[in-house]
């Protein structure tokens, strides 16, 4: 593209975290004047970013290295995945908006393919000659727009995307068939390509959008395509994946969605903390980090040559060749003994166990740039001895997140990766997946095992816990039946239920997060949680609250300072005291799921416990204040008395 072209490829910007959780591959991104769809990995271009390709990893600055996460991605996708990459980006758009930086980024395409003039209501395809496009202001890409020359003087009128699309449970996405819909599945008898018009008449009950053909006079309201009866009037899904440019066989009936609907795209992600494997020191962490480059070394005689190649020329300068080779041999032995990444109960790789082993170890690993943690000589304040058994201050941590696919209409199940059909990110097996990394700090709190064991015995046969478990069974049944239309397999009714211990840890985590946000100035959306809840065979009970945003708010030490004895006592007291009441009581405090309800929380609501979706790891499910503090039966509370 010429530097002085009036057409420019840059149409907007989003944060890296936005591409991971809100609008990634295959999603529709709303821009000020139109909407676009993010293309698949086959179209992402990293040329000119200063790094090599998949065979030149050591010199590629665009790669994100995290061996545990990469192994987990390979377990779910394919061994062909060899890299974790951030979105392509180059600095310089502000200083030179005509340069290469302005043409480097995530590729998108306008979607939906039908657009409507806001002045005359003309409805036409984007690839027709009806509309034009302008993007001639290099410093204002957000002003890019489609236009229609109509009305008096043929002024340029704004054109916007027609706001209806089709999606099916297999993850396909397609334009709404306006031409066939208005003609009841046929063609216009007066013209092969007639002019269509769309009039939005508003209304208080559902959509009230009229589509009519100017040539033959055919007229139909979009309301006829809505709901269960409306789906029967629609054609079968064409199996279109617009982000890949492919069509596949599909026998599903599609659903009508409004552009911008929250259920048009759900990311399926994995995340891991960069902790030393096996609790090793800094050298072991470095070997694990660069294992893809070290695993095929034939012997220590190659190490002097490796030290001449960046980044090895400076990453391993602290250690001798003998020490480095011994660490390589240790890591190779661990890989062979493990036999691959451990699997969770429903097929998800277990990424939490190595982190739990680090936090629960009596000896924390040596500080590194990715992970630095310490505990005081007396980590738990005397006033909280019966409430916590350990407090670890994580001064520095690094979290890596990767997207392995996405779903439509229904979110992925956190326990069963096969329940909802995953849409691929590329046309063939990918060699890399999008990833991002954030650095921050955190606090790890461990609850006494004897306290949790005793409490589990008290509530095991309680009516409250029984109703929570039954609600989970109904949730699994309704979700499975609604998606497949097949009878539910009773063997899977309670598969994936997190158990009583998770309710306590998850609820306590939310109470502390909300208190931190209110008292200490942290935005709750900038915090995240990791719950380490075990079972009878693997007793564990801890929570990690950490900063999870890529800006300065999460790296200035404000969260770690809250683990000081006096601060932690005040924080815990306030969190538990405020859990006793809610402005929605008694409705909130008395809430328990009853048949046929399938919601997965008890005494919890937006006033007292719910946090943002990016903060909670389970979508504000499995929460109940009565299991932490005595708002109901004191025997149900793990803390019957407040500190």
């Amino acid at each position: 593209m010429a530097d002085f072209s009036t057409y420019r490829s840059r149409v907007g910007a989003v944060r890296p975290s936005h591409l991971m959780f809100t609008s990634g591959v295959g999603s529709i991104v709303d821009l000020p004047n139109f909407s676009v769809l993010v293309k698949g990995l086959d179209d992402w271009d990293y040329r000119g970013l200063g790094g090599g390709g998949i065979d030149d990893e050591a010199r590629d600055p665009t790669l994100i290295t995290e061996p545990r996460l990469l192994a987990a991605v390979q377990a779910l996708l394919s061994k062909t995945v060899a890299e974790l990459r951030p979105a392509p980006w180059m600095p310089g758009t502000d200083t030179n908006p005509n340069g290469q930086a302005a043409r480097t980024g995530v590729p998108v395409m306008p979607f939906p393919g039908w657009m409507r003039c806001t002045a005359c209501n003309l409805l036409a395809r984007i690839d027709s000659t009806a509309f034009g496009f302008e993007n001639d202001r290099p410093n204002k890409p957000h002003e890019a727009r489609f236009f229609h020359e109509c009305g008096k003087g043929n002024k340029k009128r704004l054109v916007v995307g027609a706001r209806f699309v089709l999606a099916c449970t297999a993850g396909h996405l397609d334009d709404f068939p306006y031409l066939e819909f208005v003609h009841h599945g046929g063609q216009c008898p007066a013209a092969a390509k007639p002019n269509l018009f769309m009039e939005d008449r508003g209304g208080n009950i559902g959509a009230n959008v009229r589509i009519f053909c100017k040539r033959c006079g055919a007229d139909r309201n979009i309301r006829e395509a809505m709901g269960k009866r409306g789906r029967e009037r629609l054609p079968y899904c064409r199996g279109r994946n617009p982000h890949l440019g492919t069509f596949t066989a599909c026998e599903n009936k599609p659903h009508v969605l409004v552009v911008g609907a929250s259920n048009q795209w759900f990311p399926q992600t994995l995340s891991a903390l960069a902790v030393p494997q096996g609790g090793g020191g800094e050298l072991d962490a470095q070997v694990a980090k660069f294992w893809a480059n070290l695993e095929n070394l034939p012997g220590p005689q190659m190490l002097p040559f490796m030290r001449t190649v960046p980044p090895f020329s400076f990453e391993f300068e602290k250690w001798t060749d003998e020490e480095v080779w011994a660490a390589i041999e240790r890591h190779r032995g661990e890989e062979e003994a493990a036999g691959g990444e451990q699997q969770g109960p429903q097929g998800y790789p277990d990424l939490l166990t190595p982190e739990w082993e680090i936090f629960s170890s009596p000896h924390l690993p040596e500080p590194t740039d990715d992970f630095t943690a310490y505990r005081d000589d007396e980590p738990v304040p005397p006033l909280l001895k019966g409430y916590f058994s350990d407090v670890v201050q994580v001064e520095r941590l690094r979290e890596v997140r990767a997207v392995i696919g996405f779903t439509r209409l229904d979110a992925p199940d956190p326990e069963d990766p096969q329940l909802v059909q995953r849409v691929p990110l590329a046309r063939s097996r990918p060699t890399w997946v999008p990833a991002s990394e954030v650095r921050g700090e955190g606090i790890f709190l461990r609850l006494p095992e004897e306290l949790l064991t005793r409490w589990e015995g008290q509530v095991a046969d309680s009516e409250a816990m029984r109703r929570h478990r039954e609600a989970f069974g109904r949730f699994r049944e309704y979700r499975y039946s609604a998606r497949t239309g097949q009878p539910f397999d009773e063997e899977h009714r309670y598969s994936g239920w997190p158990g009583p211990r998770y309710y306590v840890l998850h609820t306590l985590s939310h109470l502390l997060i909300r208190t931190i946000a209110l008292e200490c100035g942290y935005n709750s959306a900038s915090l995240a949680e990791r719950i380490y809840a075990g079972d009878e065979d693997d007793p564990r009970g801890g929570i990690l609250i950490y900063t999870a945003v890529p800006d300065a708010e999460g790296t200035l030490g404000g969260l770690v300072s809250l683990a000081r004895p006096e601060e932690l006592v005040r924080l815990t007291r306030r969190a538990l005291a405020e859990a006793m009441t809610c402005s929605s009581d008694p409705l909130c405090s008395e809430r328990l799921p009853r048949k046929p309800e399938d919601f997965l929380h008890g005494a919890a609501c937006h006033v007292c416990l719910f946090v943002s979706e990016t903060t909670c790891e389970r979508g504000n499910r499995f929460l109940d204040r009565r299991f932490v503090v005595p708002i109901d039966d004191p025997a149900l509370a793990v803390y019957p008395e407040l500190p």
Side-chain angles (χ1 to χ4, degrees), residues 55-73:
D55 297 323
D56 197 15
E57 182 177 353
R59 297 190 296 275
D60 194 341
T62 66
L63 294 182
I64 296 176
T65 305
E66 177 45 48
R68 289 199 307 119
L69 184 60
L70 181 59
V73 172

Side-chain angles (χ1 to χ4, degrees), residues 334-405:
E334 293 172 359
E335 291 279 314
E336 293 174 355
E341 193 76 22
Q342 292 180 338
Q343 299 294 313
Q346 296 293 333
Y348 271 110
D350 180 11
L351 292 169
L352 295 180
T353 295
E355 300 169 13
W356 167 257
E357 292 174 350
I358 293 292
F359 289 124
S360 60
S361 172
H363 304 289
L364 295 172
E366 299 175 12
T368 67
D369 292 338
D370 291 340
F371 187 82
T372 300
Y374 60 92
R375 57 169 61 93
D376 293 335
D377 295 335
E378 189 177 356
V380 181
L383 290 175
L384 299 180
K385 285 291 186 181
Y387 297 83
F388 304 119
S389 61
D390 193 16
V391 178
V392 176
Q393 303 173 46
V394 188
E395 190 176 73
R396 182 179 298 169
L397 61 80
R398 170 175 167 262
E399 183 191 21
V400 182
R401 306 158 177 166
V403 178
I404 62 173

Side-chain angles (χ1 to χ4, degrees), residues 394-565:
V394 188
E395 190 176 73
R396 182 179 298 169
L397 61 80
R398 170 175 167 262
E399 183 191 21
V400 182
R401 306 158 177 166
V403 178
I404 62 173
F406 63 91
T407 63
R408 301 198 192 277
L409 300 179
D410 199 359
D413 192 289
E415 298 295 335
D416 185 357
Q418 306 302 325
L419 179 64
V420 184
Q421 186 167 341
R422 179 173 61 238
V423 184
L425 302 176
R427 287 187 285 271
S428 59
R429 290 185 177 182
T431 57
W432 61 276
V433 295
S436 69
E437 61 180 347
V438 293
R439 296 180 182 271
E441 55 177 332
I443 303 174
F444 174 78
L445 302 170
R446 184 177 182 179
L447 275 64
E449 181 58 35
E450 59 274 12
L451 172 67
L452 291 173
T453 302
R454 183 174 65 251
W455 174 82
E456 285 178 316
Q458 293 175 195
V459 302
D461 299 325
S462 65
E463 180 185 1
M465 192 57 67
R466 176 182 59 81
R467 284 165 61 173
H468 274 294
R469 190 169 186 269
E470 291 175 351
F472 178 81
R474 292 192 294 271
F475 172 80
R476 293 280 293 181
E477 179 182 359
Y478 297 161
R479 188 175 188 187
Y480 179 85
S481 300
R483 289 196 56 80
T484 65
Q486 303 296 323
F488 182 67
D489 187 354
E490 288 295 328
E491 293 183 1
H492 299 102
R493 178 172 293 276
Y494 301 110
S495 176
W497 190 57
R501 183 174 299 209
Y502 190 91
Y503 279 84
V504 167
L505 297 170
H506 196 204
T507 303
L508 179 61
S509 174
H510 278 225
L511 291 173
L512 292 173
I513 287 173
R514 291 173 63 95
T515 304
I516 290 171
L518 290 174
E519 180 172 324
C520 307
Y522 274 103
N523 180 356
S524 63
S526 69
L527 301 175
E529 64 181 1
R530 294 178 85 85
I531 309 298
Y532 304 93
D535 50 31
E536 297 178 356
D537 300 328
D538 182 19
R540 65 176 77 167
I543 58 177
L544 174 68
I545 300 174
Y546 63 103
T547 53
V549 289
D551 57 23
E553 182 180 2
T555 57
L556 298 179
L559 185 57
V560 169
S561 65
L562 302 180
R564 297 172 185 156

Side-chain angles (χ1 to χ4, degrees), residues 182-236:
V182 73
H183 294 103
H184 295 268
Q187 299 293 323
C188 176
K193 296 181 179 180
N195 287 336
L196 301 183
F197 289 83
M198 172 186 284
E199 291 184 355
D200 193 340
R201 300 180 175 182
N204 296 325
I205 304 177
N208 187 14
V209 179
R210 174 185 171 227
I211 312 295
F212 66 94
C213 176
K214 193 172 184 180
R215 296 299 299 271
C216 69
D219 189 325
R220 204 171 185 186
N221 198 299
I222 204 76
R223 187 183 300 163
E224 297 182 33
M226 299 293 186
K228 186 176 181 180
R229 295 182 60 183
R231 290 180 61 198
E232 300 301 322
R233 301 186 179 101
L234 293 173
Y236 282 96

